[in-house]
Amino acid sequence: MASQEDNFKKVISHAKEYGYVFQSSEIYDGLSAVYDYGHNGVELKKNIREYWWKAMVQLNENIVGIDAAIFMHPTTWKASGHVDAFNDPLIDNKDSKKRYRADVLIEDYVAKIDTKIEKEVKKAEKRFGDHFNKEKFLETNPRVVEYVEQGKSILSRMAKSLEKEDLADVKALIEELDIACPMSGSKNWTDVKQFNLMFGTKLGASADSAMDLYLRP
Amino acid sequence: MKLLPRQFIFRMREFEQMEMQFFIQPGTQQQWYEHWKENRLKWHLSLGMGEDNYRFHDHEKLAHYADAAADIEFRFPFGFKELEGIHSRTDFDLGSHEKYSGKKLQYFDHETNKNYVPYVLETSIGLDRMFLAVFSNSLQEEELENGTSRTVLKLPAVLAPTKAAILPLVKKDGLPEVAQEIPDDLKWDFNVTYDEKDAVGRRYRRQDANGTPFCITVHHQTLEDQTVTIRHRDSMEQERVAISQLREIIHKAVDMRTWLLRMED
């Protein structure tokens, strides 16, 4: 069976071969994370958009359409919290040079614990057959109870640290859980840093009168 | 695979969002949150891409603006990932814009004779991400009975870029001329294409891989009785129909009404 990665590569090359999606600026070696839609891609995208639009706007008498400009008054983004809070806590692996969202690394760790719980439930289901009571099992089986507690306490600690902007503790949590880079297996991490994801530009004729703007996120 | 950047069109520098903001009376947000979670999942399921490929992910860690939030996750080639978000945003947005703008952003409720800042229930889906979900899920390698295999892009017919390809069986005997009349008529209703290059079997494969739901083939018999064969992409079954029926057959298969009505099931 083909691996996930092979399948994904097939998707990307098929999209290119059949005129759905191309890498942007390919003759200049591309621009990372930017893509262009070819003839078929434009049509597919348009049909998806229309399918969504009909379901939302046409089928609901209390929903109306709007297509807003990408530029908006800068105060909009102060009010919305984007300037201060549109950040992701990112962490780099020093060996693989890959960058991750720290919270996603931790959530994926907890997802693995959840898989263990599912396995225990399946085993027990087999063992007890028709007499199996899933809810009771989840509440009473010591191993499962421990897993559940473990997951909960990890997530609540992470939530608290992110809330307090205590990024050092987010990193400490990653280290305590012994989380490795999924690409390289390395545990050699940088500190966690907040990155603002807003896209800035200037609007105006001269440098003096230009206004600092953000593109709508 | 949760590398921050560079996951094809899953994570792009520039992307298109389809968002809905639903204004509601404070206190009713839980019920509307449930309503839109269910409604949006139904929309996804109406496309018939497999119930097992979707799941909800309820957020433990809530963003600063939300009192409840969930993702609809889809099974992408690299695993389950967020496709759409449903957020109960309370009066965070409007309340904050009132403060910064100094303008009242309130609704007068005639029943209670009171003003309030509406709560917002938001659904938000990335168009490019939805594109990747549809495209990757549709791309399949199929082993055929005769031992060969085919690559087929099983796009939901309602979304397929090209609805039908018209193919003269051979490039002689007047078949191309007759065949060409069919797209000249169907093009007023649908995106259709005409293809006379290569053997017909290869043209079928090409249209399969392109995601075209129907291939319409003009045979010698067409010259006598105005019938053609119509081949279905997914089943590869063929049936003989009159040229005059084509419009109705295609319409029935690709009409948004047919597909959206499945949300009512």
Side-chain angles (χ1 to χ4, degrees), chain B residues 73-119:
Chain B
E73 294 187 333
F74 184 77
R75 197 196 302 268
F76 285 98
F78 36 83
F80 272 103
K81 291 285 161 193
E82 176 186 352
L83 173 58
E84 173 157 7
I86 295 111
H87 298 138
S88 170
R89 300 179 63 100
T90 70
D91 59 359
F92 177 83
D93 308 280
L94 293 176
S96 184
H97 287 304
E98 262 199 340
K99 208 171 83 192
Y100 278 81
S101 67
K103 311 270 178 4
K104 266 203 182 329
L105 299 172
Q106 300 186 1
Y107 173 76
F108 180 72
D109 189 330
H110 285 280
E111 276 175 28
T112 58
N113 270 334
K114 276 184 190 151
N115 282 316
Y116 59 79
V117 176
Y119 273 24

Side-chain angles (χ1 to χ4, degrees), chain B residues 29-42:
Chain B
Q29 67 268 33
Q30 184 61 30
Q31 123 202 15
W32 285 112
Y33 174 67
E34 297 299 334
H35 167 86
W36 282 108
K37 268 177 81 173
E38 188 191 346
N39 181 283
R40 292 305 302 150
L41 184 62
K42 278 187 178 166

Side-chain angles (χ1 to χ4, degrees), chain A residues 14 20 37 49 51 79 108, chain B residues 2 16 46 96 128 191 209-210:
Chain A
H14 196 87
Y20 280 85
Y37 289 92
R49 190 193 293 115
Y51 195 68
D108 282 352
Chain B
K2 53 232 138 279
E16 192 171 339
S46 73
S96 184
D128 310 273
N191 264 327
N210 198 48

Side-chain angles (χ1 to χ4, degrees), chain A residues 130-179:
Chain A
D130 293 342
H131 304 293
F132 183 61
N133 180 335
K134 188 174 166 186
E135 268 167 39
K136 200 156 177 210
F137 179 78
L138 288 175
E139 279 168 19
T140 53
N141 180 285
R143 194 177 294 171
V144 168
V145 169
E146 203 190 308
Y147 284 148
V148 172
E149 284 305 316
Q150 209 185 341
K152 265 193 202 154
S153 87
I154 292 170
L155 290 177
S156 82
R157 177 170 158 195
M158 178 179 83
K160 264 186 216 144
S161 300
L162 288 172
E163 178 92 44
K164 287 187 301 191
E165 293 275 309
D166 184 357
L167 299 177
D169 188 59
V170 177
K171 185 186 179 184
L173 184 57
I174 287 175
E175 287 178 333
E176 280 166 40
L177 297 173
D178 226 16
I179 295 175

Side-chain angles (χ1 to χ4, degrees), chain A residues 94-209:
Chain A
K94 289 181 193 165
D95 296 323
S96 66
K97 311 279 179 220
K98 296 291 178 194
R99 178 168 287 181
Y100 300 90
R101 265 176 60 178
D103 54 334
V104 172
L105 281 179
I106 294 168
E107 277 170 9
D108 282 352
Y109 181 89
V110 173
K112 276 184 201 150
I113 299 179
D114 290 341
T115 316
K116 284 185 193 164
I117 297 173
E118 277 167 34
K119 267 188 196 157
E120 292 292 332
V121 169
K122 276 213 179 113
K123 265 201 287 185
E125 232 167 9
K126 254 192 192 163
R127 199 159 5 114
F128 296 113
D130 293 342
H131 304 293
F132 183 61
N133 180 335
K134 188 174 166 186
E135 268 167 39
K136 200 156 177 210
F137 179 78
L138 288 175
E139 279 168 19
T140 53
N141 180 285
R143 194 177 294 171
V144 168
V145 169
E146 203 190 308
Y147 284 148
V148 172
E149 284 305 316
Q150 209 185 341
K152 265 193 202 154
S153 87
I154 292 170
L155 290 177
S156 82
R157 177 170 158 195
M158 178 179 83
K160 264 186 216 144
S161 300
L162 288 172
E163 178 92 44
K164 287 187 301 191
E165 293 275 309
D166 184 357
L167 299 177
D169 188 59
V170 177
K171 185 186 179 184
L173 184 57
I174 287 175
E175 287 178 333
E176 280 166 40
L177 297 173
D178 226 16
I179 295 175
C181 166
M183 289 287 285
S184 64
S186 151
K187 294 167 192 166
N188 190 7
W189 297 108
T190 62
D191 287 341
V192 178
K193 279 191 208 133
Q194 291 284 10
F195 280 76
N196 192 289
L197 304 172
M198 295 288 283
F199 209 126
T201 186
K202 286 189 188 298
L203 195 68
S206 71
D208 298 340
S209 63

Side-chain angles (χ1 to χ4, degrees), chain B residues 209-265:
Chain B
N210 198 48
T212 313
F214 297 109
C215 281
I216 294 156
T217 308
V218 170
H219 303 255
H220 290 93
Q221 194 180 329
T222 309
L223 305 178
E224 289 159 28
D225 63 6
Q226 293 288 300
T227 65
V228 290
T229 56
I230 183 162
R231 174 184 178 275
H232 299 257
R233 176 195 66 199
D234 297 349
S235 66
M236 294 191 290
E237 272 166 23
Q238 303 191 23
E239 53 186 322
R240 183 162 283 278
V241 302
I243 291 175
S244 58
Q245 286 176 275
L246 287 172
R247 193 163 154 259
E248 200 192 321
I249 294 172
I250 299 170
H251 184 263
K252 215 173 140 192
V254 306
D255 185 26
M256 287 217 177
R257 176 191 172 89
T258 317
W259 290 76
L260 283 171
L261 268 172
R262 294 180 191 164
M263 287 178 75
E264 303 276 300
D265 291 348

Side-chain angles (χ1 to χ4, degrees), chain B residues 186-220:
Chain B
L186 290 179
K187 72 182 178 190
W188 299 93
D189 294 281
F190 317 106
N191 264 327
V192 293
T193 185
Y194 173 83
D195 188 4
E196 58 176 29
K197 208 175 130 212
D198 301 324
V200 74
R202 288 189 59 179
R203 280 179 273 165
Y204 285 154
R205 289 290 177 275
R206 194 150 62 221
Q207 296 302 332
D208 286 347
N210 198 48
T212 313
F214 297 109
C215 281
I216 294 156
T217 308
V218 170
H219 303 255
H220 290 93

Side-chain angles (χ1 to χ4, degrees), chain A residues 5-97:
Chain A
E5 211 178 316
D6 288 344
N7 280 334
F8 193 32
K9 277 185 191 156
K10 260 183 212 158
V11 167
I12 295 169
S13 67
H14 196 87
K16 181 177 166 179
E17 189 182 345
Y18 284 86
Y20 280 85
V21 184
F22 303 106
Q23 185 172 27
S24 163
S25 322
E26 203 176 3
I27 59 169
Y28 298 105
D29 296 333
L31 188 60
S32 83
V34 184
Y35 293 89
D36 297 331
Y37 289 92
H39 173 77
N40 277 330
V42 177
E43 291 286 346
L44 175 55
K45 200 170 150 195
K46 185 193 74 188
N47 291 343
I48 294 172
R49 190 193 293 115
E50 197 186 339
Y51 195 68
W52 178 87
W53 188 273
K54 282 208 170 173
M56 302 305 268
V57 182
Q58 187 172 318
L59 296 184
N60 293 285
E61 59 174 357
N62 54 8
I63 296 179
V64 293
I66 175 176
D67 184 349
I70 287 174
F71 293 129
M72 286 185 88
H73 192 284
T75 312
T76 315
W77 309 120
K78 279 208 178 306
S80 70
H82 280 93
V83 173
D84 297 324
F86 200 55
N87 299 306
D88 273 348
L90 301 181
I91 189 167
D92 291 15
N93 187 279
K94 289 181 193 165
D95 296 323
S96 66
K97 311 279 179 220

